[in-house]
Amino acid sequence: MNKDTIIGFVLIAVVLIGFSWYNQPSAEEIEAARKQDSIAAAIKDNAAKQAKINEATRKAQAEEAAKADSSALFFAALSGTSQPVVLKNDKVELTFDTKGGTISKAIIKGFEDRDNKMDVTLFDQKTQQMNFMLAGKNENIITKDLFFTPSNITDSTLTLTAAANNGGSIVFNYILGKDYMLHFTFQAKGLNGMFAPNYKEMDIEWTDIARQQEKGFTFENRYATLTYKEKDGGTDYLSETSEVIDEKIEQPLNWVAFKNQFFSATLIAKDDFAANAQMTSIPQEKGSGYLKQFNAKMKTTFDPSGIQPSEFEMYIGPNDFRLIKRVEEQSTFGKDLDLEQLVYLGWPLFRYINRFFTIYVFDWLTSWGFSMGIVLILITLLLKAITFPMVKKSYMSSAKMRVLKPKLDEATKQYDKPEDQMKKQQEMMSLYAKYGVSPLSGCLPMLIQMPIWIAMFNFVPNAIQLRRQSFLWIDDLSTYDPIIEWQTNIWGIGDHLSLTCILFCVANVLYSYMTMRQQKDQMVGAQAEQMKMMQWMMYLMPLMFFFMFNDYSSGLNFYYFISLFFSAAIMWTLRKTTNDEKLLAILEAKYQENKNNPNKKASGLAARLAAMQKQAEELQKQRMNQQKR
């Protein structure tokens, strides 16, 4: 860069600086501009604030206008103070809210909650709400928006009134019975002209999020259901595992219950709930403290003239079969409500076993003051005593097959080819018939015990008498008994290992071993090979049971453990007391008797099996003849 270029840049800079200095505003002009900017900013800020105020005012006016439009008749009842009013007796304590006029909290006395504190809070106003809705000619009446005035207050009675501008009113009348039954009416007085001439139904929406009341979330959740009773049918419930939203129930309903494992809140309508009620059940996450979100949208009769109130009852209490039967007698509706169906006892066959046997025996043993663990043992012993004659007969049939096995092996050894299997079976059945043995009788022990096992599977988890009852190392027979717990949930196992479940599975393995060994001693030829495959299946079942029952109640696992223990003891005793030589001599005598009387026809199962084999043989001959053609 030369000298002339540098001089040029310097002159340009001097000119620009001089021009900027010459054109800069004076101090007065700067101050005036600052004031102008401040005013503009203030105006802009005020405009923004005013816009927000205007928007808030517009929204408030819109909401107020909407409220006035929908509830103008009860304008005075739209404001007030929410106050709790309590009804109570020795069994329950029910809190009512003057806003909405319905129950806001229910406490069931005499039972420990999940934290081992006395009294169970079934629901409160945070999660539960019951709303009655009326559709008028020009406006709707929604009870949850109204403030009610309490009167006639005692420990068992309460009247809540929401006054209308025209002198009419909406009235709830509550009467608490001596234990778990609440009677109440809903009535509209002086409002006849506010409804259409053909208006005869009102809407009820009831919602709650069922609380977890027991230690075992997974197990309790299986028995927490939205249950309902059809007017001309039985009870049913929404899926206990899947999400169900607004499912329509096509039949009219007597009642709807939000049911936990051991406690329920049930709403009963004297004139029933109309068809097409909508039910919702949404499972909640483990650790939330809740089991399921329930919602029921229903319709029932309503008299707009106010002459006939709509009548309701609520059962709020424990799921105790006998107790519910007694409390149901306090109903003033004069119909069979079947509220005891809240205690699920299984499908019809198993329900009859539990209803007419297990419950009576359970109550009888409990009345003697035995602990619940001893009661389960005594029930097991009683059932084993009742089924022992059939079990012994079945065992003796298996024993006969066992002592005849050498003779069967000898008589059928020439039928080892695959194409001779039919002849081999026929020869075996022929020998069984001659010795008077029924080969299918060995299956009876399992068939005899299976209905009882399934009946107890339904009874024990629903027996509230086991709740919080301890026995030996078990703190609570109604839930699992962990020997070890951890924080992380493992698929298929959960977050614990239950000792009674492990004992049950070990007992199952030992019992399966004894059973398979006994059956193996009586199998011939290919049956013995097939038995090997059966063994693996029998030994895998206890493993499957472990994954199924680890979350189940310790009372149920304990019953199965004791039942298998006594079954094994009975089988071992029968085996030790059976003299194979004497038994074989008896069979030989029977064989000689049948041999000396060749015209004697087989009867019973042997005759049917022989007929079936003969029919199978004829079919095989027909197929062979067709193939030759």
Side-chain angles (χ1 to χ4, degrees):
M1 183 178 294
N2 55 31
K3 181 179 178 182
D4 294 337
T5 303
I6 294 173
I7 294 172
F9 277 119
V10 171
L11 291 174
I12 292 172
V14 171
V15 170
L16 290 174
I17 292 171
F19 181 80
S20 298
W21 177 82
Y22 179 78
N23 285 285
Q24 69 178 355
S26 63
E28 291 81 5
E29 290 175 334
I30 292 173
E31 181 64 20
R34 187 187 65 78
K35 289 182 179 180
Q36 188 66 31
D37 291 340
S38 298
I39 293 172
I43 292 173
K44 184 177 180 180
D45 187 46
N46 288 336
K49 290 181 180 179
Q50 189 62 42
K52 290 182 180 180
I53 294 172
N54 292 340
E55 180 65 17
T57 303
R58 185 190 65 77
K59 287 183 178 180
Q61 290 175 345
E63 291 176 0
E64 196 65 30
K67 185 176 287 188
D69 289 342
S70 62
S71 303
L73 182 64
F74 286 87
F75 181 77
L78 289 172
S79 59
T81 303
S82 174
Q83 299 177 358
V85 183
V86 177
L87 300 184
K88 59 184 178 180
N89 55 29
D90 294 336
K91 306 296 184 181
V92 294
E93 180 178 305
L94 306 178
T95 302
F96 296 80
D97 196 337
T98 56
K99 183 178 182 182
T102 57
I103 299 178
S104 60
K105 186 177 183 179
I107 296 176
I108 301 175
K109 300 180 179 180
F111 295 90
E112 292 183 353
D113 65 9
R114 186 158 58 107
D115 298 322
N116 297 320
K117 296 179 181 178
M118 189 53 66
D119 300 338
V120 169
T121 300
L122 188 58
F123 59 76
D124 59 22
Q125 60 186 0
K126 295 179 181 178
T127 60
Q128 190 270 165
Q129 185 178 74
M130 188 177 294
N131 187 25
F132 294 75
M133 296 166 283
L134 303 173
K137 291 179 180 178
N138 302 312
E139 55 206 69
N140 297 326
I141 301 172
I142 303 174
T143 58
K144 71 176 183 179
D145 296 332
L146 304 180
F147 287 86
F148 290 76
T149 301
S151 61
N152 188 30
I153 303 174
T154 68
D155 281 346
S156 60
T157 63
L158 171 64
T159 299
L160 292 171
T161 305
N165 297 338
N166 67 345
S169 61
I170 294 290
V171 181
F172 285 104
N173 270 308
Y174 293 99
I175 300 176
L176 178 61
K178 61 182 180 180
D179 37 42
Y180 301 101
M181 188 70 84
L182 175 70
H183 312 264
F184 72 98
T185 61
F186 176 88
Q187 191 172 14
K189 297 181 178 180
L191 302 177
N192 190 23
M194 304 299 167
F195 304 100
N198 60 346
Y199 186 69
K200 299 295 182 182
E201 286 186 333
M202 66 176 172
D203 291 88
I204 302 173
E205 184 171 4
W206 185 24
T207 185
D208 183 31
I209 305 178
R211 290 186 172 203
Q212 180 183 346
Q213 304 289 357
E214 314 304 324
K215 178 174 69 174
F217 171 86
T218 304
F219 187 63
E220 183 185 6
N221 211 16
R222 289 189 181 100
Y223 297 92
T225 59
L226 193 159
T227 306
Y228 53 87
K229 164 69 167 56
E230 295 180 354
K231 178 181 178 181
D232 299 318
T235 59
D236 204 349
Y237 54 89
L238 300 186
S239 171
E240 64 270 39
T241 57
S242 303
E243 180 178 293
V244 180
I245 298 179
D246 288 341
E247 179 174 313
K248 286 189 177 182
I249 312 302
E250 296 180 354
Q251 301 297 321
L253 305 177
N254 288 146
W255 49 261
V256 175
F258 293 168
K259 176 181 173 295
N260 285 53
Q261 183 180 3
F262 293 120
F263 304 97
S264 293
T266 307
L267 179 63
I268 311 161
K270 180 178 181 180
D271 297 318
D272 305 319
F273 297 112
N276 296 318
Q278 293 181 329
M279 306 294 176
T280 294
S281 174
I282 303 175
Q284 303 299 292
E285 293 292 331
K286 184 176 182 179
S288 66
Y290 297 95
L291 303 171
K292 290 185 176 73
Q293 178 181 334
F294 296 135
N295 182 266
K297 300 175 183 177
M298 304 159 287
K299 294 179 181 290
T300 191
T301 57
F302 169 71
D303 181 8
S305 69
I307 298 174
Q308 187 67 36
S310 300
E311 297 185 52
F312 303 90
E313 291 174 339
M314 288 192 75
Y315 173 78
I316 302 174
N319 299 331
D320 184 326
F321 189 92
R322 296 291 190 202
L323 172 65
I324 293 176
K325 288 283 287 184
R326 292 196 299 269
V327 173
E328 186 178 326
E329 295 175 359
Q330 302 172 22
S331 174
T332 60
F333 295 165
K335 54 186 177 181
D336 188 6
L337 297 173
D338 282 336
L339 284 175
E340 68 273 11
Q341 297 292 341
L342 289 170
V343 183
Y344 183 71
L345 298 178
W347 292 352
L349 171 63
F350 314 119
R351 182 166 66 245
Y352 292 141
I353 294 174
N354 286 325
R355 173 68 180 83
F356 299 106
F357 175 79
T358 309
I359 290 178
Y360 282 99
V361 173
F362 191 84
D363 290 344
W364 176 64
L365 293 173
T366 303
S367 67
W368 287 82
F370 296 118
S371 69
M372 291 298 107
I374 298 297
V375 168
L376 290 174
I377 294 174
L378 293 176
I379 287 179
T380 306
L381 287 172
L382 180 60
L383 291 172
K384 295 300 178 186
I386 292 173
T387 59
F388 178 75
M390 293 177 285
V391 171
K392 182 179 180 181
K393 183 178 180 180
S394 174
Y395 173 82
M396 293 308 297
S397 178
S398 299
K400 291 174 183 178
M401 295 171 66
R402 183 181 70 247
V403 298
L404 287 175
K405 184 177 182 295
K407 294 184 177 293
L408 290 172
D409 288 336
E410 181 65 25
T412 60
K413 63 182 180 180
Q414 68 270 29
Y415 303 117
D416 289 336
K417 297 180 181 179
E419 60 268 21
D420 294 334
Q421 290 304 304
M422 179 64 71
K423 293 181 179 180
K424 185 174 185 177
Q425 290 293 328
Q426 290 174 348
E427 183 67 23
M428 289 172 55
M429 295 307 300
S430 176
L431 284 173
Y432 281 141
K434 291 176 182 178
Y435 281 99
V437 176
S438 175
L440 295 182
S441 298
C443 302
L444 285 179
M446 184 59 70
L447 296 178
I448 293 168
Q449 296 181 71
M450 189 59 68
I452 297 173
W453 273 48
I454 297 176
M456 293 298 289
F457 176 83
N458 289 293
F459 174 77
V460 173
N462 290 292
I464 194 172
Q465 293 83 354
L466 298 179
R467 186 177 187 268
R468 298 294 189 272
Q469 296 298 308
S470 60
F471 182 68
L472 299 177
W473 70 89
I474 305 170
D475 293 330
D476 186 351
L477 285 165
S478 70
T479 187
Y480 60 83
D481 57 321
I483 55 172
I484 185 172
E485 294 182 275
W486 52 86
Q487 298 298 322
T488 305
N489 189 66
I490 299 176
W491 182 87
I493 298 178
D495 55 6
H496 66 274
L497 289 178
S498 174
L499 179 56
T500 51
C501 179
I502 294 173
L503 291 175
F504 160 46
C505 293
V506 171
N508 203 349
V509 171
L510 296 176
Y511 181 71
S512 297
Y513 172 77
M514 294 178 66
T515 304
M516 299 300 292
R517 183 177 178 181
Q518 175 181 315
Q519 292 180 355
K520 183 180 179 181
D521 290 342
Q522 67 192 40
M523 295 297 176
V524 179
Q527 291 179 336
E529 295 298 322
Q530 296 173 359
M531 198 64 189
K532 294 180 180 179
M533 294 298 297
M534 184 68 70
Q535 285 179 344
W536 287 107
M537 295 178 60
M538 294 296 291
Y539 292 146
L540 283 174
M541 284 184 64
L543 180 61
M544 295 171 57
F545 284 147
F546 171 76
F547 291 109
M548 291 174 57
F549 286 85
N550 191 45
D551 270 323
Y552 272 64
S553 70
S554 54
L556 182 63
N557 283 320
F558 181 72
Y559 165 77
Y560 283 158
F561 165 66
I562 293 297
S563 179
L564 286 169
F565 174 81
F566 285 121
S567 294
I570 291 170
M571 185 179 296
W572 182 85
T573 302
L574 289 173
R575 182 70 180 89
K576 289 297 182 182
T577 56
T578 300
N579 189 314
D580 288 358
E581 293 181 358
K582 290 183 178 180
L583 182 59
L584 182 59
I586 294 173
L587 292 175
E588 290 292 354
K590 184 70 173 178
Y591 177 81
Q592 290 298 326
E593 179 185 345
N594 291 333
K595 185 178 180 180
N596 295 330
N597 188 10
N599 295 325
K600 182 180 178 181
K601 295 182 178 180
S603 61
L605 180 60
R608 290 192 293 271
L609 288 173
M612 291 172 61
Q613 287 197 346
K614 186 175 182 180
Q615 184 179 7
E617 185 178 359
E618 291 295 331
L619 290 173
Q620 187 177 16
K621 288 181 179 179
Q622 291 177 8
R623 292 194 189 98
M624 291 177 65
N625 292 333
Q626 289 176 357
Q627 290 176 359
K628 290 179 180 179
R629 293 176 185 175

